[in-house]
Amino acid sequence: MSSGNDANTQEILGLIAGGGQFPLIAADAARQRGIRVVAVAHQGETDPALSDKVDEIVWIRLGQLGHLIKALKKQGVKKALLAGTITKKKMFENIKPDLKGMALMSRLVVFHDDDILRAVADELAKEGIEIVSSTLYLTDLVASPGCLTRKKPTRTEQEDIRFGWRVAKELGRLDVGQCVVVRRKTVLALEAIEGTNETITRGGRLGKEKTVVVKVSKPNQDLRFDVPAVGLDTVRTMADARASVLAVEAAKTLIFDKKEMITYADRMGISIVALENE
């Protein structure tokens, strides 16, 4: 449904949507500013509820870059953002690229997240479409420095945070993942293609209890896309794994369901801290 502004003068935003709640929140934030939102959503990933939160929506399969560009250009999009997750394991199951997608994939030496996303951004730029920061209208979701919970990390946990931080940054430098799970300065799990929650669960099985979860941005990460994110689901997974601390990077991490997440963490005795780059 249109917001009622003159279609010829209304600002237009392209929303390239993955899974999770981020695309829905981004769409709401843009439309509250009177911006017309044109979404390109991915089948099997994007929440169908996005259809009710945007002015136009086109559904494509993962890898259909040509279809994506065509849909945005048809609606006159000059500025777009990427929001939401793509289940990495589906890259080996469901991907059906069109000709433009195949051409892009053939040029990539490795299939790292940032390499793929930068390549997509470059292709869009060639077509006159600028990729802007995914947090452009959502600065209130970005983590501020400090301890968010009543419970603060113990001295031992602080040491584990510092140790895990260094490991996570090295993991990110290789563009493998953003999350590590440690205990007593021992690495229990490193994030790869499985994602953060499965990494936390695996680390919990090995550490038994009081594990420390560290999630940071990658060095040289392009914060227009692939911004680290945590939320209520993250902390629920930690509680199931008997983890005791979540440490994230301030100013470079999105926090979803913040109030509910903190309330739950306080109830479960979990510490959440946002730290500036050490």
Side-chain angles (χ1 to χ4, degrees):
M1 185 176 72
S2 173
S3 63
N5 289 3
D6 189 316
N8 293 321
T9 59
Q10 187 179 10
E11 183 180 350
I12 303 172
L13 175 71
L15 173 59
I16 303 169
Q21 61 181 307
F22 191 12
L24 285 72
I25 295 171
D28 279 341
R31 294 188 85 201
Q32 285 169 10
R33 290 166 171 78
I35 297 168
R36 176 179 173 81
V37 179
V38 175
V40 178
H42 289 83
Q43 296 174 18
E45 291 284 351
T46 307
D47 188 337
L50 182 64
S51 300
D52 297 326
K53 295 181 174 291
V54 299
D55 297 276
E56 299 286 344
I57 190 165
V58 175
W59 292 86
I60 64 171
R61 289 183 180 274
L62 184 62
Q64 292 184 324
L65 180 58
H67 287 57
L68 185 155
I69 291 171
K70 182 179 178 181
L72 294 178
K73 291 185 73 173
K74 183 179 179 181
Q75 294 293 328
V77 172
K78 300 291 185 184
K79 180 172 67 176
L81 61 80
L82 290 84
T85 58
I86 296 294
T87 306
K88 294 178 184 178
K89 287 184 282 190
K90 289 187 179 178
M91 291 175 64
F92 299 102
E93 301 168 0
N94 260 354
I95 188 163
K96 294 183 178 179
D98 56 18
L99 290 175
K100 203 167 192 70
M102 289 177 66
L104 181 142
M105 290 170 66
S106 69
R107 294 195 299 271
L108 290 172
V109 177
V110 290
F111 287 87
H112 287 161
D113 293 352
D114 285 3
D115 293 302
I116 295 169
L117 293 171
R118 284 195 185 97
V120 169
D122 289 344
E123 286 297 316
L124 289 167
K126 292 175 187 175
E127 300 288 344
I129 301 169
E130 176 194 4
I131 293 295
V132 298
S133 171
S134 59
T135 61
L136 181 63
Y137 307 110
L138 294 167
T139 53
D140 55 321
L141 293 183
V142 178
S144 300
C147 184
L148 282 65
T149 50
R150 289 197 297 265
K151 182 175 179 290
K152 293 178 172 57
T154 65
R155 182 175 299 178
T156 298
E157 289 167 341
Q158 288 174 356
E159 291 175 357
D160 276 346
I161 291 170
R162 285 191 287 271
F163 171 73
W165 191 285
R166 292 194 301 273
V167 175
K169 283 295 182 180
E170 283 301 303
L171 187 69
R173 185 178 61 80
L174 297 170
D175 198 8
V176 174
Q178 301 168 321
C179 175
V180 303
V181 181
V182 301
R183 187 180 179 200
R184 295 176 182 168
K185 296 183 182 177
T186 301
V187 176
L188 302 173
L190 301 172
E191 181 186 15
I193 199 170
E194 78 281 27
T196 298
N197 284 354
E198 288 191 34
T199 305
I200 294 169
T201 299
R202 191 171 73 252
R205 282 198 302 267
L206 294 169
K208 306 301 183 185
E209 63 177 357
K210 296 183 179 179
T211 54
V212 172
V213 179
V214 181
K215 185 164 185 175
V216 301
S217 70
K218 303 167 189 172
N220 305 315
Q221 184 157 2
D222 192 329
L223 293 175
R224 291 177 298 170
F225 36 69
D226 199 25
V227 181
V230 296
L232 178 59
D233 190 46
T234 311
V235 180
R236 282 176 172 160
T237 303
M238 288 179 60
D240 289 342
R242 301 178 69 187
S244 61
V245 179
L246 172 63
V248 300
E249 187 166 0
K252 294 183 179 181
T253 306
L254 292 171
I255 299 180
F256 297 122
D257 306 311
K258 184 175 180 179
K259 182 178 179 181
E260 295 89 342
M261 181 185 78
I262 293 171
T263 298
Y264 184 80
D266 282 338
R267 189 163 77 244
M268 302 305 294
I270 294 172
S271 304
I272 304 174
V273 292
L275 304 172
E276 294 177 303
N277 192 10
E278 303 225 322

